[in-house]
Amino acid sequence: MNGNKGLILSIFWIVLGIVLFTLSSLEIFKWDSELGTGMGSALIVVGALRLIRSIKYRKNPEYKEMIDTQNSDERNKFLHMKSWSWAGYITVMAEGAGIIVATVLGKEDIVKLLSYSVCFMLLAYWVAYLVLRKKY
């Protein structure tokens, strides 16, 4: 965790959330105001939580050491990567099941959207594999 970068990014999320919430509340955006106010509120909360975490990181040496250890520990890195691979696998399988269900129900738009999503995931996987194969 980078001290100043974390603080600046947290403040950015809070300001962006306030702007989005305000513009949506005043109905300046032509999209659903509930979506804008919800996203704005979420950005404010995320920014505040990140700000609290960043301040705690700077002021508490034990917490800083714990976070630095977590970020540099090989076991944690392995678990993060394994979690990502499981999440990707589960997502592709769920989208595949969704394609079958949407096909049976005759929802062509949903079938198309899910099919494009699966194709994108597989293309991203293939490109990542080629890049990582050359790197390692």
Side-chain angles (χ1 to χ4, degrees), residues 29-130:
F29 285 135
K30 299 294 182 199
W31 55 320
D32 188 7
S33 64
E34 290 178 8
L35 177 67
T37 55
M39 284 177 48
S41 300
L43 286 173
I44 292 169
V45 170
V46 167
L49 292 174
R50 287 180 57 96
L51 184 63
I52 291 168
R53 185 176 180 203
S54 186
I55 291 171
K56 184 177 179 182
Y57 179 82
R58 295 178 108 196
K59 296 202 181 244
N60 188 340
E62 292 88 21
Y63 181 74
K64 181 179 187 213
E65 182 179 344
M66 181 187 76
I67 295 296
D68 289 344
T69 301
Q70 282 180 357
N71 290 340
S72 63
D73 184 42
E74 289 296 322
R75 180 176 178 274
N76 279 334
K77 287 180 182 179
F78 171 77
L79 292 175
H80 283 284
M81 296 310 297
K82 197 67 160 168
S83 299
W84 269 113
S85 67
W86 280 23
Y89 179 76
I90 291 168
T91 299
V92 170
M93 290 297 127
E95 288 176 340
I99 290 169
I100 294 169
V101 171
T103 302
V104 169
L105 296 175
K107 305 288 185 178
E108 295 296 322
D109 292 339
I110 295 174
V111 171
K112 206 179 284 187
L113 178 68
L114 290 173
S115 297
Y116 290 150
S117 177
V118 169
C119 286
F120 175 75
M121 289 273 292
L122 293 175
L123 180 65
Y125 169 78
W126 180 68
V127 169
Y129 176 77
L130 292 177

Side-chain angles (χ1 to χ4, degrees), residues 17-28:
I18 290 169
V19 168
L20 186 58
F21 183 86
T22 304
L23 292 176
S24 295
S25 296
L26 297 174
E27 296 182 1
I28 293 175

